[in-house]
Amino acid sequence: VPPPKYRPAAVSDLMHRINRQTLTLSWSIPDTDSSKSAVIDGCRVYRARQSLLESDCTTCPVPFVSVADIPVGQSSEGSQEQIGFTYTEALLPGFGYTYKVICFTRGGGPSGDSNIVNFRY
């Protein structure tokens, strides 16, 4: 399989807010190169959740799993309607959480990883 022709820019403004036991992640659609004629189809949210009772391993890989695919809304003219995204989930106490987002396109490949959101709850 040939490599993708176009990779969208990575999300750089991933932010989080916690209200009681609910986490809300938010970010905006990264700018795309219109000359490549690729449109971002959506974003995939990845989470790593580790018990706070486990010792921190700074050299271990982060065990990310995909937790959501969020599609981009399209207008009738084919342009992107959506400027920003949000993702919400309930948190469990006693865990450290790490999140990242990767965007994807129809005809190209995935973006690079977003900035990382990391916190203990």
Side-chain angles (χ1 to χ4, degrees), residues 4 21 25 51 63 68 74-75 111 117 119-121:
Q21 291 184 338
L25 296 175
S51 170
Q74 302 291 320
S75 72
S111 69
V117 167
F119 60 90
R120 293 171 179 237
Y121 182 77

Side-chain angles (χ1 to χ4, degrees), residues 1-66:
V1 175
K5 295 180 181 177
Y6 174 71
R7 290 181 61 161
V11 170
S12 61
D13 62 348
L14 180 62
M15 298 180 291
H16 76 289
R17 185 180 73 239
I18 299 172
N19 184 9
R20 296 188 181 142
Q21 291 184 338
T22 302
L23 164 75
T24 301
L25 296 175
S26 59
W27 65 96
S28 59
I29 294 175
D31 290 334
T32 58
D33 185 348
S34 60
S35 68
K36 305 287 187 194
S37 69
V39 176
I40 292 176
D41 251 0
C43 294
R44 188 163 289 130
V45 179
Y46 290 89
R47 175 189 68 212
R49 180 173 56 198
Q50 296 178 297
S51 170
L52 293 177
L53 299 176
E54 296 175 17
S55 62
D56 288 336
C57 175
T58 57
T59 59
C60 295
V62 179
F64 283 108
V65 294
S66 175

Side-chain angles (χ1 to χ4, degrees), residues 70-115:
I70 303 173
V72 172
Q74 302 291 320
S75 72
S76 58
E77 294 84 34
S79 64
Q80 293 179 335
E81 293 178 335
Q82 199 167 347
I83 296 172
F85 290 91
T86 59
Y87 169 74
T88 303
E89 77 174 22
L91 297 172
L92 299 173
F95 288 91
Y97 290 88
T98 305
Y99 290 87
K100 68 180 180 180
V101 172
I102 296 177
C103 295
F104 53 89
T105 65
R106 282 180 218 135
S111 69
D113 292 351
S114 70
N115 58 300

